[in-house]
Amino acid sequence: MAGIIGYGAYIPKYRVSAEEIAAVQEANANAIKRGLGLTEKSVPGKDEDTITIATHAARDALARAGINKKDIGAIYVGSESHPYAVKPSSAIVAEAIGIGNDYTAVDTEFACKAGSATIQINAGLVDSKMVKYGVSIGADTSQAEPGNALEYSAAAGGAAFIIGSNKESLAIIDKTVSFTSDTPDFWRRSMQAYPSHAGRFTGEPAYFKHVIGATKLLLEKTKTKIEDYTYVVFHMPNGKFPRAVAKIFKVTEEQLVPGLVVEKIGNTYSGSSLLGLAAVLDIAKPGDKILMTSYGSGSGSDSFALTVTEKITEAQGKARTTQDYIDRKEYLSYAKYLKHMETIH
Amino acid sequence: MFRDSSIIRWRAYKDRYMLEGYECSSCGKKYFESKGMCPCGSIEFNEIEFSGVGKIVSFTQIHSGPEAFSEQGKYCVAIIDLAEGARITAQIVDCKFEDLAIGTNVEAVFRKFYKSGEKGAIHYGTKFVPKF
């Protein structure tokens, strides 16, 4: 199959801590941190949105790919916080990275798996030789209603991947599968500012059923075992859920922790599992195998088996790492956080 | 005067989005804005793309900007010498005014400029952040 020839991450500089939110919600911060498995979350700058985050990640992905950007034939931006209801984020990102006009573009939406699905789409286009390279991006500035439990985790960030032929790849996609059903666990109706969710229903019949279902399917179809993988990344709505799935599959700390970026930045929705993948690629070595499973409410999971090639070593140093962005931070007060989210003006 | 127009912004995509500029085909001097004639006498220019890295030459803080920028509160603006030699004026973001200095290394980022009210277009372009 096709593979990843360049990747880039981006996380805004700003953070709000669980303590800061808990103080306003009059909740127990330690219980929240323990329950959700995260300590703080990323917040967009006042002049940042899904389009600027996607552009930043795409530029880093291009720097790593080292290709003629005019050879890009497709660009897809997956998000549940596209700035426009009607006007494509993907075309604005394409213009900002300067790929010319000979490309197809569309915005995708499938809750938190809108980005991973575009990797499958681009892999299909590359393998069928319809395009030479395709750009797949997952980025979000997630919304959470003040006072809602989501406020502790809904974060901002994204990652971009340039998909090309397996000969040029720094990580070849060995196999990808999906596991999908109509499950009403989380949604945002048209014209509504904030999403709604079905509370505890978002766990067992939603996240766990689909992440476990897709991962099992991938292991069966590739005839591999979890211990064959150097790194394993599961979608991270919080720090607790991916750890629970890891326990079921007997994933070790060494396999899981390098991609578990949620603890310090929160749930970046469409960027979540993709940022985990980028973090793992930052430290991967030739021959390493990576398993990544995304999750999008509604519901579905895309699972990928990847093999890292010798091209990874040169690519890693050509742009900032995910950890560089995690380490760069400035904390906001709760009031400033609301201003950054345009909740208050 | 601040003119709020999607069309005017659209015409400037090349330089505002991509930091594209011009190089004199005779002496090699680089410009961010197009020139009719280079001081060397040449009227031939090649289009180039700047790398986006540079140094602050001078800077200030705007406390009361145009209404369209009101969501940003006070903000920093600097004159920047790009690494390739051209000079540009742009906003500096993700930093405090007190942390800026003449000579601070900066790099280009793609950010929102402003929104044309509640229903209008969102305008994007290049700003700079201190290199980290």
Side-chain angles (χ1 to χ4, degrees):
Chain A
M1 277 190 79
I4 296 165
I5 64 163
Y7 69 95
Y10 182 73
I11 301 157
K13 179 184 179 182
Y14 302 97
R15 303 283 184 277
V16 62
S17 68
E19 279 92 352
E20 185 72 20
I21 299 170
V24 176
Q25 291 199 14
E26 297 183 359
N28 181 331
N30 286 331
I32 296 287
K33 286 195 286 187
R34 215 169 33 247
L36 292 178
L38 52 83
T39 57
E40 57 199 48
K41 69 168 189 173
S42 57
V43 179
K46 284 183 276 188
D47 57 358
E48 291 185 294
D49 62 16
T50 289
I51 288 171
T52 66
I53 289 168
T55 300
H56 203 118
R59 284 177 174 172
D60 276 6
L62 276 172
R64 284 199 172 93
I67 56 168
N68 178 355
K69 52 194 181 183
K70 306 286 183 198
D71 287 336
I72 291 170
I75 180 164
Y76 301 109
V77 179
S79 179
E80 54 182 88
S81 50
H82 290 292
Y84 286 97
V86 179
K87 189 180 187 318
S89 302
S90 45
I92 299 172
V93 175
E95 192 80 33
I97 62 173
I99 65 173
N101 303 109
D102 183 8
Y103 67 90
T104 178
V106 77
D107 295 352
T108 62
E109 185 279 314
F110 195 138
C112 300
K113 84 166 192 83
S116 66
T118 72
I119 296 178
Q120 296 175 321
I121 295 167
N122 269 321
L125 291 177
V126 168
D127 283 343
S128 64
K129 302 196 188 314
M130 283 181 70
V131 303
K132 187 171 183 185
Y133 305 118
V135 183
S136 294
I137 305 171
D140 258 305
T141 53
S142 321
Q143 317 88 358
E145 191 164 16
N148 192 290
L150 280 177
E151 208 175 12
Y152 293 98
S153 57
F161 297 85
I162 316 280
I163 308 301
S165 72
N166 58 5
K167 283 181 190 163
E168 294 178 83
S169 297
L170 55 82
I172 295 167
I173 302 168
D174 300 322
K175 186 82 182 170
T176 176
V177 301
S178 294
F179 187 98
T180 315
S181 77
D182 177 359
T183 308
D185 62 327
F186 177 102
W187 59 88
R188 179 163 65 84
R189 293 266 302 275
S190 180
M191 312 293 282
Q192 294 299 307
Y194 301 110
S196 303
H197 56 85
R200 292 175 69 85
F201 186 77
T202 58
E204 206 58 50
Y207 176 89
F208 290 101
K209 175 182 169 184
H210 294 81
V211 171
I212 293 167
T215 304
K216 272 186 179 170
L217 203 57
L218 184 83
L219 293 173
E220 280 167 24
K221 290 196 175 183
T222 52
K223 297 186 173 60
T224 56
K225 295 175 185 160
I226 206 77
E227 55 264 36
D228 296 333
Y229 294 91
T230 322
Y231 301 107
V232 178
V233 178
F234 297 121
H235 172 59
M236 295 161 270
N238 51 52
K240 202 174 174 183
F241 281 18
R243 281 190 177 278
V245 175
K247 203 172 174 184
I248 291 165
F249 283 101
K250 297 189 170 55
V251 174
T252 65
E253 286 285 288
E254 290 73 22
Q255 288 172 300
L256 183 72
V257 170
L260 200 68
V261 295
V262 64
E263 293 172 354
K264 290 290 179 190
I265 60 168
N267 177 11
T268 53
Y269 284 46
S270 301
S272 176
S273 54
L274 300 189
L275 275 169
L277 176 59
V280 158
L281 288 172
D282 284 335
I283 56 167
K285 292 184 173 54
D288 282 351
K289 286 193 173 293
I290 300 168
L291 187 153
M292 182 198 82
T293 303
S294 64
Y295 174 71
S297 289
S299 288
S301 283
D302 304 321
S303 197
F304 297 78
L306 301 122
T307 301
V308 178
T309 76
E310 73 287 345
K311 293 190 189 302
I312 190 74
T313 315
E314 195 189 338
Q316 283 168 335
K318 288 183 174 172
R320 290 195 178 97
T321 65
T322 310
Q323 192 62 45
D324 289 335
Y325 290 112
I326 292 173
D327 292 341
R328 181 189 70 139
K329 57 185 169 182
E330 179 182 329
Y331 289 97
L332 300 175
S333 65
Y334 186 80
K336 279 208 165 183
Y337 153 67
L338 290 184
K339 192 165 172 61
H340 276 235
M341 296 305 294
E342 299 183 19
T343 309
I344 58 171
H345 297 277
Chain B
M1 184 186 161
F2 185 83
R3 293 182 66 195
D4 181 9
S5 162
S6 301
I7 312 305
I8 288 171
R9 295 282 160 195
W10 175 73
R11 287 190 178 121
Y13 276 178
K14 261 192 165 180
D15 50 358
R16 298 297 171 196
Y17 274 28
M18 294 281 302
L19 272 190
E20 285 192 358
Y22 305 88
E23 179 184 45
C24 171
S25 59
S26 177
C27 71
K29 190 168 169 57
K30 307 201 176 45
Y31 301 94
F32 179 61
E33 303 283 358
S34 63
K35 291 266 176 192
M37 181 185 280
C38 183
C40 78
S42 170
I43 56 168
E44 299 292 327
F45 294 89
N46 301 316
E47 288 189 0
I48 56 163
E49 194 179 322
F50 293 109
S51 63
V53 295
K55 275 183 195 295
I56 290 179
V57 176
S58 186
F59 62 100
T60 188
Q61 190 170 36
I62 309 292
H63 289 262
S64 182
E67 195 182 337
F69 294 173
S70 60
E71 280 186 13
Q72 299 180 40
K74 56 189 179 185
Y75 57 90
C76 303
V77 173
I79 297 169
I80 297 153
D81 271 347
L82 296 173
E84 293 84 358
R87 186 164 277 191
I88 183 175
T89 302
Q91 274 192 48
I92 310 289
V93 294
D94 284 0
C95 67
K96 293 184 171 64
F97 180 71
E98 310 83 81
D99 296 334
L100 294 180
I102 291 168
T104 299
N105 290 310
V106 292
E107 63 182 66
V109 290
F110 189 69
R111 294 293 174 93
K112 273 190 290 190
F113 275 1
Y114 68 97
K115 291 189 276 193
S116 294
E118 282 303 303
K119 292 183 180 176
I122 306 167
H123 305 285
Y124 297 89
T126 300
K127 297 182 183 179
F128 285 75
V129 296
K131 227 170 157 35
F132 67 97

